[in-house]
């Protein structure tokens, strides 16, 4: 959205308060399958004892699903203290061990070459300094480490928006509402070309971007 693009010029956008609690309930009700699919994808790149960082985990369900799949050392870092507390509660409920902390992606409190894998979904479009954030991700990744960023595509077609809305809502009004919401969110996101330009100043050896529906899957290799 225009407002989102304006706000992120001045600060990274975090979610807190009642909206954070709503986001937690909505994710648990509607997006666990999506989180599980992300966890399965990331598990292809890591082995037992691997260190994994999720940037902007929201309510933490991706990290929780990944923790269920293997013996990994997982950290989740969110700018929102409310989300950090929600993550801790959710992880405790699911009986998994994850280190959730508050922090800013543009200046992360981790040593160089610390993580085998970095994951981020539905948040990159909110970062005030995307190139600096990518540089920080590169810094904390180990040699041969991988980062996967999943976010909306600003250049999503009308057909893709319709298809995505239809997956969630079958009735006419609900489908229109979801399509309108997705369209607004996509306008606040980045295009594939913009992402490629952001990666160029960094030291990543390879950038592979896959388009699927209204989503971009951005694989970065150190």
């Amino acid at each position: 959205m225009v407002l989102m693009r304006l706000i992120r010029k001045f600060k990274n956008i975090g979610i807190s308060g009642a909206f954070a609690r709503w986001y937690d309930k909505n994710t648990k009700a509607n997006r666990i399958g999506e989180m599980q699919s992300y966890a399965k994808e990331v598990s292809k790149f890591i082995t037992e004892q691997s260190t994994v960082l999720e940037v902007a985990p929201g309510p933490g369900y991706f990290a929780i699903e990944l923790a269920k799949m293997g013996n990994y050392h997982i950290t989740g870092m969110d700018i929102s203290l409310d989300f950090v507390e929600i993550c801790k509660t959710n992880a405790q409920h699911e009986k998994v061990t994850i280190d959730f902390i508050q922090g800013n992606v543009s200046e992360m409190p981790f040593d160089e070459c610390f993580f085998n894998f970095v994951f981020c979904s539905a948040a990159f479009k909110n970062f005030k300094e995307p190139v600096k954030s990518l540089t920080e991700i590169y810094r904390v990744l180990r040699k041969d480490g991988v980062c996967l960023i999943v976010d909306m595509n600003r250049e999503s077609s009308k057909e893709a928006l319709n298809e995505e809305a239809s997956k969630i809502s079958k009735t006419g009004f609900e489908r229109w509402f979801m399509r309108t919401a997705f369209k607004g969110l996509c306008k606040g996101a980045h295009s594939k070309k913009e992402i490629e330009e952001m990666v160029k100043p960094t030291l990543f050896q390879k950038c592979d971007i896959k388009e699927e529906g209204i989503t971009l899957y951005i694989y970065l290799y150190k």
Side-chain angles (χ1 to χ4, degrees):
M1 292 179 230
V2 175
L3 179 59
M4 179 185 292
R5 297 175 78 88
L6 178 62
I7 292 174
R8 75 176 178 218
K9 288 183 179 180
F10 302 98
K11 65 178 182 178
N12 286 319
I13 302 171
I15 297 175
S16 60
F19 190 26
R21 293 189 293 275
W22 172 87
Y23 196 95
D24 175 32
K25 292 179 180 179
N26 181 266
T27 302
K28 186 175 183 179
N30 301 305
R31 299 184 61 205
I32 295 300
E34 181 183 345
M35 299 302 110
Q36 291 171 340
S37 68
Y38 293 157
K40 289 178 181 178
E41 177 64 14
V42 171
S43 69
K44 299 174 184 177
F45 294 86
I46 58 178
T47 58
E48 291 286 299
Q49 302 296 325
S50 286
T51 51
V52 180
L53 169 66
E54 182 180 11
V55 174
Y61 291 108
F62 159 79
I64 289 169
E65 293 303 319
L66 185 64
K68 293 176 182 178
M69 297 179 65
N71 187 20
Y72 311 124
H73 301 286
I74 306 172
T75 301
M77 184 195 71
D78 204 286
I79 196 170
S80 166
L81 182 58
D82 287 348
F83 263 151
V84 172
E85 294 305 317
I86 289 171
C87 284
K88 290 179 179 179
T89 299
N90 289 339
Q92 184 178 21
H93 182 265
E94 294 295 327
K95 296 180 173 57
V96 294
T97 301
I98 302 168
D99 185 20
F100 288 110
I101 66 169
Q102 185 180 29
N104 193 323
V105 64
S106 61
E107 193 172 352
M108 293 193 282
F110 306 115
D111 292 336
E112 293 182 6
C113 306
F114 191 81
F115 296 100
N116 297 106
F117 200 100
V118 175
F119 178 74
C120 177
S121 70
F124 188 75
K125 58 181 171 294
N126 299 330
F127 295 163
K128 173 190 171 186
E129 301 173 287
V131 175
K132 186 175 181 180
S133 298
L134 291 173
T135 301
E136 270 290 273
I137 290 172
Y138 180 91
R139 181 183 69 80
V140 302
L141 273 175
R142 294 181 180 177
K143 183 180 179 181
D144 299 322
V146 181
C147 171
L148 171 58
I149 297 172
V150 182
D151 215 322
M152 290 182 164
N153 180 1
R154 187 161 65 83
E155 296 183 338
S156 296
S157 67
K158 182 179 179 180
E159 292 74 22
L161 289 166
N162 287 337
E163 183 177 349
E164 196 68 26
S166 296
K167 292 179 183 177
I168 300 174
S169 305
K170 301 302 180 183
T171 64
F173 175 77
E174 288 182 347
R175 190 180 305 126
W176 171 84
F177 179 82
M178 292 307 303
R179 182 174 63 246
T180 302
F182 284 140
K183 184 177 180 180
L185 289 169
C186 284
K187 284 185 177 180
H190 305 291
S191 68
K192 179 180 178 181
K193 184 176 181 181
E194 287 172 335
I195 295 292
E196 290 171 339
E197 290 300 314
M198 291 174 188
V199 174
K200 282 183 180 179
T202 73
L203 297 175
F204 279 106
Q205 298 298 308
K206 180 182 177 183
C207 173
D208 182 17
I209 303 179
K210 300 177 182 178
E211 300 181 58
E212 185 176 314
I214 64 173
T215 304
L216 295 178
Y217 293 82
I218 305 149
Y219 295 81
L220 302 171
Y221 301 86
K222 184 168 181 177

